[in-house]
Amino acid sequence: MSSFKKRVPSAQASLPAGCRLSAYNGQVLISTGVPSLDDILGGGLPVGTILLIQEDRQTSYGQLLLKYFLRQGIVAGDKCVVVSGDESPEAIVRSLMGIAGEESLESQVQTGVDNRDDEDEERRQRRKKAAAAGGDDEDSEQDRLTIAWRYSGLKKFESGVEARPPAISSRVGKAGSTTEPALTPSQIPFCEQFDLTTRISAKALESADTTLIDSGELQKAVQASDSDLEDDSDDDLAPSASGRNQPDLYRNVLDKIRETLIQGGFSTTLLKDPSAPAPAPGAAGLAERHICRIGINSIASPSWRSKTPHDLYKFLHALRGLLRFSFGAAVITIPAHLYGTIDQRHATDGSTTSPYIHRLEQLCDASVRIESFAGAQTNASSAASAYHGLFHVHKVPVLNALIPSSTKLSVLLDGAAKGSGGPGQSGSGGSSKGVNNLGFKVRRKRFAIETFHLPPEGGVGQRRTSAEPSSGSSSSSLSERKKSSSSTKSSSNPGPVTGSIKKAGSSEERSVQSRARSLGLGNKPSGQVDVHSVPGASGMARKMMGLPPKGIQGAVASGCNTGGSEAGHKHSHGGAGSGANSSLLDF
Amino acid sequence: MGYASLESHLPSSHAPLLPPGTFLSISDTQASDGNFLLHHFVSNYIKADQNVVLVGLAGILVHYTMVGRKLGVNLATARTKGNFQFVDGLTQLTDYAAPNKEYLAKLAEPKPATTTSTATPSPPTTTTTGARITRPAAAAATPLAPPKVLSYSPKLVELYRALEGIIQETASKTKTGPSEKQLVLILDDLSVLLNCGWPCRDVLALVRYLKLLVAKFNGTLITLVHADGLMAEEVSQDGLVKGVFYEADYIIDVRGLDSGGSRDVHGQLSLLHGPGYLLRQRSGQVRENEWPALTLHYKILDNNVEVFAKGYSSGVL
């Protein structure tokens, strides 16, 4: 994402460091540290808003997003307030990720080879191989498509947001220099590229402006003061200890946050020193402003004890009131899965499943939910081994406008891609329902959110049009092949895909696989599928499945264009069921 | 005039305004925000030079101002004229917002809010000059007083008294000529009150009191409440929604499409009759077919909302 350049050069300098203006309505945006999440939010998180991240169960991707947010703040020189109860805030700050390319200053950073992810590297190698072998794969990066040449005129389907190449030009210019030259506010990149394998450097940690609030300690302090006053239950008694005024944890945390905002001068209405002369109004004053990033880890986790069920809501309401009039933004993660009943947890419509969390979402400007495949009941993981989980977007910020910016600007939420807009296309409306499902993957070096789709059967480079000689090929070898083609470790089980994925984008593969299972292939117990002719299978479906067009080598088993229903379609097959046609697909 | 396509479906007796003495209840869901309807009514009343009192419990003045600008109304000038009154219900509403007493003691003596600030307190623009700690100075132009703030009180009765005072003030200030101006009181988000801890019974009582109060001043009451299907499981949430519907004359229910999301249709809105309407109908106060009960589809655009009959979206035709 190239840094946003305003037409008026003087306006560029007037923004606080690390911010940019929204292309849609001119709001000040800050980056969450993850380019694809910025894209979903419509360019970035608007200043003054709250993003709620509903955490996943057995993994800590929610906290990872929070770390990205804080790390980006440190890069930009923003004040970072870290509130955490389960983990100590110091531990979180120490475990922040480092900047990509920072370590390898002397090595070949110019070519940028080291900074690419493993998958990109592999893709490039595959392309080279295909080009060398003269393959006419439509995935080849040649501009001229030889098979699907009719598609060359259409816009390329963007399934992901490209990570910005690291802004190392300002650092690497002096070869061998170990000290970072101080970056002026206009040089600080909007969203830096980070490296998950490295840790934040000690130098950056020292220069970071952080405020750590340990809610566990606060809680103990509150309890200690409360126990002193256990005998006094009368509200009217004059308070002697300070604990009397701070009866509960959320209130304490909010007070501390407010204090930080006031002391740091981030609030435009609550001033530290009302009698001091106000900073000069106008654009010039903004450049000296800094942003205050508030990151709250696992709010409302069991260690946060509240007095009333309304505490958290009041906390969010008051926080919104604070932030709306301040130069700050908050990212809050919440273990939402703890707040639902058994039935609610399996709701399939993708919405939040607990009324408690739903209420909180009303007050947050943006709300996303992470659902990781780790330990999932369904076997979705084996089919989608490229992804680590699903990413649901419940709400995007709508500030000072009728529609959210992401409707116009977002690539992932299908905003920018207008395409033909014909029937059968479901795009994003006011909500992002009906738009492509999003999944996330955590590579070795970065976290990316992309359109979730099942990869073609057999992997990209291994689509075959002739029979595989090995008769022992079974479904397990298939998934093994897929595992080897992607570089990530996934928690998939190598069992057969049962096709019980709830929200997968491509229905064709699912129905074919499930049909293959359910057909009870008698004469080929190893799992090879006989070719059948299926009426009504269109050329398009076959292409998407990676199968050769109809007519080659007889009929092929093809997918049917059923929309999103579960497994179990049985089609009438042609008489070739018993024939010993060579199988075109190996399962 | 607000959204032109919505106009034809609203009660025509006092169009583009609502008939005085009535209560319009708007319910929405998370997927389909009902906020756009509030902007419509605000712009209609301001353009017709009538009074608007807007209580923002979940939004700030800047938001309404910016959207109003897109719809062609200038809320700042309306405030100077006295037509538009914004009540801040966000910063001080709960006891969380009030800083602790001991913390206040550390700070300097609060200065009274000055009126010489030159900008709105939105972060992207400029800063304001001094402000009291408990009262944000949100002046938009030099002679403007900051918006009233609803400060915390354990009983909602206080809230009612505060609103009563504001309405009386507004009505008396703009009493020009023989005809009284019409007033509309808009509560953005009753669900905030419920979720902040006040019992459902109190919130409903507040609504009832406000309805009667507003009727005295030749006005209507409009409230917004969140009514997702998910929340129907909770007794207090469901009770609030049903209770508000029970009090209403007109109901506009905004929800998403059952069949999922779409780029061309953002949701559907149903115009319904409340019990109050039926009573008024029986007593002959309303004409036949003044407000036909319909379900329409809508699509939100940049500065307009298109409301159309089912199946007639521009993507189809």
Side-chain angles (χ1 to χ4, degrees):
Chain A
M1 224 181 277
S2 62
S3 56
F4 183 76
K5 289 206 170 31
K6 294 270 295 181
R7 270 168 257 127
V8 180
S10 59
Q12 171 78 25
S14 71
L15 284 181
C19 300
R20 69 173 187 188
L21 290 182
S22 158
Y24 173 58
N25 55 5
Q27 281 168 359
V28 182
L29 305 174
I30 57 176
S31 171
T32 53
V34 181
S36 31
L37 184 56
D38 284 342
D39 175 79
I40 288 174
L41 295 172
L45 186 64
V47 166
T49 56
I50 305 176
L51 166 65
L52 184 73
I53 300 175
Q54 296 176 34
E55 293 171 15
D56 43 336
R57 279 176 216 258
Q58 275 102 342
T59 44
S60 62
Y61 294 123
Q63 201 184 79
L64 182 64
L65 285 180
L66 186 69
K67 286 189 189 166
Y68 265 107
F69 180 67
L70 295 170
R71 187 64 182 93
Q72 175 62 38
I74 293 180
V75 165
D78 298 335
K79 170 123 181 115
C80 296
V81 178
V82 187
V83 182
S84 167
D86 295 336
E87 256 187 67
S88 96
E90 292 86 21
I92 293 182
V93 171
R94 256 181 280 124
S95 67
L96 290 178
M97 61 284 292
I99 298 183
E102 207 172 19
E103 266 67 12
S104 50
L105 271 180
E106 290 83 28
S107 61
Q108 330 153 309
V109 184
Q110 288 83 357
T111 58
V113 166
D114 292 330
N115 295 328
R116 301 272 179 94
D117 291 336
D118 296 0
E119 195 195 60
D120 297 339
E121 183 66 43
E122 225 189 74
R123 219 187 290 142
R124 227 174 309 116
Q125 281 173 4
R126 237 182 277 130
R127 265 183 248 134
K128 273 195 235 138
K129 247 195 302 177
D136 47 14
D137 207 356
E138 53 251 35
D139 267 356
S140 78
E141 282 301 294
Q142 305 163 11
D143 290 340
R144 216 174 48 88
L145 301 170
T146 52
I147 288 186
W149 51 273
R150 285 226 182 258
Y151 293 118
S152 55
L154 290 181
K155 184 174 183 293
K156 183 161 191 279
F157 177 72
E158 302 283 348
S159 65
V161 175
E162 270 303 305
R164 219 180 49 85
I168 35 178
S169 52
S170 52
R171 277 180 255 266
V172 164
K174 325 6 184 202
S177 76
T178 46
T179 58
E180 282 180 23
L183 297 172
T184 65
S186 54
Q187 271 186 318
I188 294 180
F190 177 67
C191 180
E192 185 63 78
Q193 196 173 27
F194 301 111
D195 185 351
L196 287 176
T197 54
T198 61
R199 290 273 161 267
I200 183 174
S201 63
K203 195 165 23 92
L205 252 186
E206 276 169 30
S207 62
D209 182 12
T210 57
T211 301
L212 306 174
I213 303 177
D214 190 337
S215 63
E217 284 173 17
L218 268 185
Q219 177 119 343
K220 280 184 231 150
V222 164
Q223 278 178 334
S225 55
D226 263 356
S227 58
D228 291 341
L229 306 157
E230 241 171 28
D231 315 319
D232 293 338
S233 51
D234 197 354
D235 284 338
D236 292 328
L237 277 184
S240 52
S242 61
R244 205 64 182 86
N245 283 339
Q246 306 170 358
D248 54 274
L249 178 61
Y250 287 104
R251 198 203 176 107
N252 286 358
V253 174
L254 188 69
D255 287 341
K256 288 237 181 295
I257 292 178
R258 188 188 303 118
E259 197 181 311
T260 314
L261 283 176
I262 294 179
Q263 293 299 323
F266 298 107
S267 170
T268 54
T269 53
L270 304 172
L271 296 185
K272 183 162 55 172
D273 191 4
S275 53
L286 270 187
E288 285 109 44
R289 282 277 191 186
H290 285 277
I291 306 287
C292 179
R293 291 182 185 228
I294 303 172
I296 307 185
N297 182 44
S298 275
I299 205 173
S301 73
S303 65
W304 290 62
R305 264 174 266 146
S306 57
K307 271 201 152 186
T308 67
H310 307 283
D311 273 1
L312 180 50
Y313 190 89
K314 287 198 283 187
F315 175 83
L316 285 176
H317 185 259
L319 184 64
R320 183 188 246 213
L322 268 180
L323 284 179
R324 284 284 199 264
F325 293 106
S326 318
F327 282 91
V331 170
I332 304 179
T333 71
I334 182 170
H337 51 90
L338 296 176
Y339 285 96
T341 63
I342 301 275
D343 325 303
Q344 286 169 335
R345 262 180 251 146
H346 292 303
T348 51
D349 61 345
S351 60
T352 322
T353 51
S354 154
Y356 183 69
I357 304 294
H358 204 89
R359 242 182 290 157
L360 302 174
E361 283 189 328
Q362 287 173 5
L363 267 191
C364 297
D365 301 285
S367 169
V368 297
R369 178 162 67 99
I370 298 182
E371 183 186 332
S372 79
F373 290 148
Q377 301 282 345
T378 67
N379 291 324
S381 47
S382 65
S385 53
Y387 296 94
H388 287 115
L390 296 173
F391 193 84
H392 305 278
V393 181
H394 291 169
K395 202 172 169 189
V396 285
V398 185
L399 216 58
N400 301 344
L402 282 173
I403 49 176
S405 342
S406 46
T407 315
K408 291 269 171 83
L409 299 176
S410 167
V411 164
L412 285 174
L413 290 185
D414 219 9
K418 276 310 162 193
S420 50
Q425 251 194 27
S426 61
S428 73
S431 68
S432 48
K433 276 197 181 168
V435 95
N436 298 317
N437 296 304
L438 298 174
F440 67 90
K441 49 174 87 164
V442 182
R443 296 295 176 199
R444 226 160 50 84
K445 296 197 173 188
R446 71 182 178 106
F447 179 100
I449 303 168
E450 295 175 5
T451 325
F452 177 82
H453 61 270
L454 295 176
E457 274 307 307
V460 173
Q462 290 166 351
R463 263 175 280 151
R464 273 175 284 279
T465 56
S466 56
E468 178 77 5
S470 60
S471 60
S473 66
S474 61
S475 54
S476 55
S477 71
L478 173 69
S479 47
E480 268 159 29
R481 256 184 273 136
K482 266 200 291 204
K483 260 198 265 185
S484 63
S485 72
S486 72
S487 59
T488 54
K489 301 184 264 311
S490 59
S491 55
S492 60
N493 39 359
V497 177
T498 59
S500 60
I501 312 141
K502 288 181 216 140
K503 299 169 210 132
S506 156
S507 56
E508 288 85 1
E509 274 114 65
R510 250 192 310 140
S511 45
V512 168
Q513 291 169 19
S514 56
R515 212 170 342 109
R517 303 282 160 276
S518 57
L519 282 182
L521 316 157
N523 48 353
K524 298 256 167 92
S526 62
Q528 287 178 340
V529 177
D530 282 328
V531 294
H532 310 281
S533 70
V534 179
S538 66
M540 170 91 79
R542 250 182 278 255
K543 190 134 293 166
M544 291 210 272
M545 289 253 318
L547 301 175
K550 208 185 220 172
I552 293 186
Q553 293 196 3
V556 294
S558 66
C560 48
N561 274 336
T562 57
S565 52
E566 284 297 312
H569 269 86
K570 289 209 192 303
H571 285 263
S572 59
H573 302 290
S578 58
N581 288 335
S582 52
S583 63
L584 297 186
L585 287 176
D586 298 304
F587 280 93
Chain B
M1 269 310 185
Y3 315 131
S5 46
L6 181 59
E7 278 307 320
S8 50
H9 299 288
L10 293 178
S12 46
S13 60
H14 287 80
L17 313 173
L18 293 172
T22 55
F23 172 24
L24 166 68
S25 154
I26 303 175
S27 64
D28 67 356
T29 65
Q30 189 189 75
S32 54
D33 205 352
N35 227 285
F36 67 93
L37 287 171
L38 298 181
H39 296 298
H40 165 87
F41 288 111
V42 167
S43 72
N44 271 4
Y45 271 78
I46 301 282
K47 282 193 182 156
D49 201 30
Q50 308 295 322
N51 294 334
V52 177
V53 177
L54 173 59
V55 182
L57 293 162
I60 55 173
L61 178 58
V62 175
H63 173 71
Y64 299 104
T65 315
M66 303 275 268
V67 182
R69 203 178 295 167
K70 291 194 177 171
L71 296 180
V73 285
N74 192 335
L75 288 183
T77 51
R79 284 183 74 208
T80 40
K81 280 202 318 192
N83 278 354
F84 179 72
Q85 185 75 254
F86 182 75
V87 182
D88 178 348
L90 182 63
T91 45
Q92 295 281 313
L93 189 68
T94 58
D95 54 346
Y96 272 29
N100 289 326
K101 299 191 202 73
E102 66 156 29
Y103 176 66
L104 253 188
K106 283 196 222 134
L107 301 169
E109 262 303 310
K111 265 175 73 172
T114 64
T115 53
T116 55
S117 49
T118 51
T120 55
S122 63
T125 56
T126 64
T127 62
T128 57
T129 59
R132 266 171 62 180
I133 292 301
T134 50
R135 178 170 280 251
T142 36
L144 270 187
K148 305 279 190 305
V149 183
L150 292 178
S151 28
Y152 170 69
S153 62
K155 294 278 176 205
L156 275 184
V157 171
E158 309 297 323
L159 212 91
Y160 169 71
R161 297 262 160 73
L163 286 176
E164 189 183 3
I166 293 170
I167 291 178
Q168 276 168 345
E169 193 190 320
T170 312
S172 59
K173 253 200 276 185
T174 57
K175 204 158 191 169
T176 54
S179 67
E180 221 181 296
K181 277 204 189 177
Q182 278 202 297
L183 173 82
V184 66
L185 171 64
I186 303 180
L187 293 179
D188 186 356
D189 227 338
L190 275 184
S191 304
V192 169
L193 288 178
L194 181 69
N195 292 330
C196 279
W198 283 287
C200 174
R201 189 179 0 110
D202 286 2
V203 180
L204 285 176
L206 175 72
V207 167
R208 217 173 293 134
Y209 272 62
L210 284 176
K211 177 177 160 190
L212 294 172
L213 170 72
V214 149
K216 270 192 270 179
F217 287 92
N218 195 26
T220 57
L221 173 67
I222 301 180
T223 61
L224 177 64
V225 71
H226 292 309
D228 304 76
L230 194 60
M231 311 278 259
E233 297 165 8
E234 292 202 351
V235 178
S236 54
Q237 297 279 344
D238 198 35
L240 175 68
V241 171
K242 291 198 170 123
V244 168
F245 277 13
Y246 188 71
E247 298 285 333
D249 297 297
Y250 305 103
I251 301 171
I252 301 184
D253 184 39
V254 181
R255 53 185 66 242
L257 295 174
D258 284 336
S259 42
S262 156
R263 199 184 280 161
D264 295 315
V265 180
H266 289 168
Q268 69 180 43
L269 55 89
S270 310
L271 312 171
L272 306 167
H273 297 159
Y277 180 85
L278 300 174
L279 287 174
R280 293 172 71 229
Q281 206 176 31
R282 227 171 275 153
S283 70
Q285 282 177 1
V286 296
R287 288 196 312 265
E288 275 299 313
N289 282 339
E290 181 187 289
W291 170 272
L294 287 176
T295 301
L296 305 160
H297 284 179
Y298 69 90
K299 174 177 177 178
I300 305 184
L301 301 171
D302 194 21
N303 52 2
N304 193 9
V305 172
E306 281 175 4
V307 178
F308 39 83
K310 278 190 180 179
Y312 281 86
S313 77
S314 53
V316 172
L317 294 177

